[in-house]
Amino acid sequence: MRNIWTIAKREYDNYYNSPIAYVVAFAILLVLGIIFGLNVFFFAQNSFQNFGQAPDISGITGAFVFMLVLSVPALTMRLISDETRMGTMELMLTAPVRDAELVIGKWLGAFLYLLSLIAVTLVFPIILNNLVSPGIDLRVMLSAYLGVILLSAAFLGIGVGISAVFSNQIAAFFVTLITFVFLWWLVGFPASVVPAGGDVFTYLDMKSHFYNTLNVGVIQLGDLAYYISITALGLFVGTTAIEIRRWR
């Protein structure tokens, strides 16, 4: 556990020495800030029709996860592939660190960075809750943010696994982005075309587990298990890739 935390802390600190992390944070907060402002404006403009209704936070969290689809590949592309490029992977493989500890530590460092960013975005529902009457639905907010956290963990798990497979950052970036696009947009299409296996494709669709349930205040065990399984699968792929590299 100590090795995992040491690696995670190093990676977390490295993000604040990297311009990519600041660009990602700026882009996400800018988009969410614009959406937040529009939500407040339109709710105020239609305050008479919306009297007695709670303002909707799902637009902010929905935009957040969409931005994660586009930005997480940039955060994970260098996590392990950069170690290979710089020649430090050989040193890490000879260190008293297990392969799983290395992968989990890298993932945890990136996860802590995203948790920090998620914590900053809480200012939007807090302001909305105090600015507009009635306040927001706290149950929906907690469910939506739980979905954002689970999605962040799953995206990072996939990204770390792919970063371990490739020694080139650019290759890791594009393969991760293509994987996200497939799981987020494309995998659900066959559900409406192939009735026999529609349920399988619907279950594999990442966005359906968020937008249809968590983002509207519905927490189901199947959705939690899905995102945790995707995270574990990504970490397993990363660990396996490093083990194969060790024995080459």
Side-chain angles (χ1 to χ4, degrees), residues 8-231:
K9 186 178 184 304
R10 190 192 71 169
E11 290 302 324
Y12 180 76
D13 293 339
N14 284 342
Y15 275 114
Y16 293 97
N17 297 321
S18 169
I20 294 178
Y22 289 100
V23 170
V24 168
F26 175 77
I28 291 178
L29 293 177
L30 176 63
V31 171
L32 295 187
I34 293 173
I35 293 175
F36 168 75
L38 292 174
N39 278 351
V40 173
F41 175 76
F42 285 115
F43 194 87
Q45 289 292 103
N46 300 281
S47 57
F48 181 77
Q49 292 89 337
N50 296 328
F51 183 76
Q53 297 181 5
D56 191 7
I57 197 67
S58 61
I60 295 176
T61 51
F64 196 167
V65 297
F66 174 77
M67 292 297 295
L68 289 178
V69 174
L70 304 177
S71 59
V72 167
L75 296 176
T76 60
M77 65 180 184
R78 51 157 291 276
L79 282 177
I80 297 179
S81 61
D82 201 41
E83 301 284 357
T84 304
R85 182 184 64 84
M86 296 176 62
T88 55
M89 178 59 75
E90 288 75 12
L91 295 176
M92 300 194 73
L93 292 178
T94 57
V97 178
R98 297 178 181 175
D99 298 335
E101 291 177 335
L102 173 61
V103 174
I104 295 173
K106 295 277 188 177
W107 170 84
L108 181 58
F111 187 53
L112 291 175
Y113 167 76
L114 278 186
L115 285 181
S116 301
L117 189 56
I118 291 171
V120 173
T121 66
L122 286 173
V123 68
F124 298 120
I126 290 175
I127 293 175
L128 195 61
N129 188 59
N130 291 281
L131 186 64
V132 182
S133 180
I136 63 175
D137 189 329
L138 293 179
R139 179 179 60 85
V140 174
M141 189 201 80
L142 292 175
S143 174
Y145 267 89
L146 174 62
V148 172
I149 292 172
L150 290 172
L151 262 169
S152 300
F155 281 148
L156 291 172
I158 295 172
V160 170
I162 294 175
S163 180
V165 173
F166 292 90
S167 58
N168 184 282
Q169 293 185 46
I170 304 302
F173 172 84
F174 281 107
V175 172
T176 303
L177 182 60
I178 291 171
T179 303
F180 287 177
V181 169
F182 175 75
L183 291 174
W184 194 256
W185 282 296
L186 301 181
V187 74
F189 284 161
S192 58
V193 180
V194 186
D199 292 340
V200 175
F201 292 109
T202 300
Y203 182 77
L204 293 176
D205 188 2
M206 289 191 77
K207 69 178 184 297
S208 67
H209 290 277
F210 178 77
Y211 288 121
N212 295 344
T213 52
L214 290 167
N215 203 40
V216 294
V218 179
I219 300 177
Q220 296 181 349
L221 184 60
D223 299 323
L224 306 184
Y226 173 82
Y227 289 123
I228 293 173
S229 299
I230 291 292
T231 305

